[in-house]
Amino acid sequence: DDRIDTLREKLALEMPELSAITVDDYGEVIAEDLVPLRDAARKYTPVLLLISLQVVIATALAVVHSRRRELSILRIIGFSYRKIWLLFTLECLLSSALACGLGLIVAAYFLFGSSAVSLMPFVSAFVASILVSLVVGRRAVSNSVPSVLRNA
């Protein structure tokens, strides 16, 4: 610390227009610069969650629509509505858990282990995915077998 202070004093005498900062000082400057970014992230997180929720709903409904025949065949071979609903819901939950986990890893990697990584968006996205999978799972079992097979 004494050497750093000595170097600062020499630099101030020889070049008063420059200032020397340490790595710790630089870290504080960067942290101060991230405050507006963090505030903006807090402000727009609900909007981004609503958009991602709409994407999840649309994707899940597209999966149900594309797999109507498969779901009807499961019903024909003896699966109850409850088992089909449970299979579909667990599949949605597994993909949601994997997506949230991967998103958390990517966010932590890009923020270099910073404390700026918050679990709240990931937890709320997973909870929203649970609700969507429950509702869309109900939609998956609501198709009548004869109409699905007739239109296939």
Side-chain angles (χ1 to χ4, degrees), residues 35-53 120-122 124-125:
V35 170
L37 182 62
R38 193 174 298 156
D39 292 341
R42 285 190 188 124
K43 183 178 179 182
Y44 292 110
T45 296
V47 173
L48 294 174
L49 283 175
L50 285 174
I51 291 170
S52 64
L53 184 63
M120 190 59 192
F122 300 101
S124 56

Side-chain angles (χ1 to χ4, degrees), residues 34-111:
L34 288 177
V35 170
L37 182 62
R38 193 174 298 156
D39 292 341
R42 285 190 188 124
K43 183 178 179 182
Y44 292 110
T45 296
V47 173
L48 294 174
L49 283 175
L50 285 174
I51 291 170
S52 64
L53 184 63
Q54 289 176 342
V55 169
V56 168
I57 290 171
T59 304
L61 288 174
V63 167
V64 167
H65 183 71
S66 68
R67 294 177 59 190
R68 287 180 314 163
R69 186 176 178 145
E70 176 188 337
L71 296 170
S72 295
I73 291 172
L74 288 176
R75 185 71 183 116
I76 288 171
I77 63 174
F79 278 66
S80 67
Y81 286 120
R82 185 171 188 221
K83 282 185 181 178
I84 295 172
W85 176 81
L86 187 62
L87 281 172
F88 191 82
T89 302
L90 289 176
E91 182 182 329
C92 287
L93 291 177
L94 180 64
S95 27
S96 296
L98 288 173
C100 287
L102 182 63
L104 185 60
I105 290 169
V106 169
Y109 174 77
F110 281 112
L111 294 174

Side-chain angles (χ1 to χ4, degrees), residues 119-138:
L119 289 178
M120 190 59 192
F122 300 101
V123 171
S124 56
F126 186 69
V127 169
S129 296
I130 289 172
L131 296 174
V132 168
S133 66
L134 293 174
V135 171
V136 174
R138 178 71 183 127

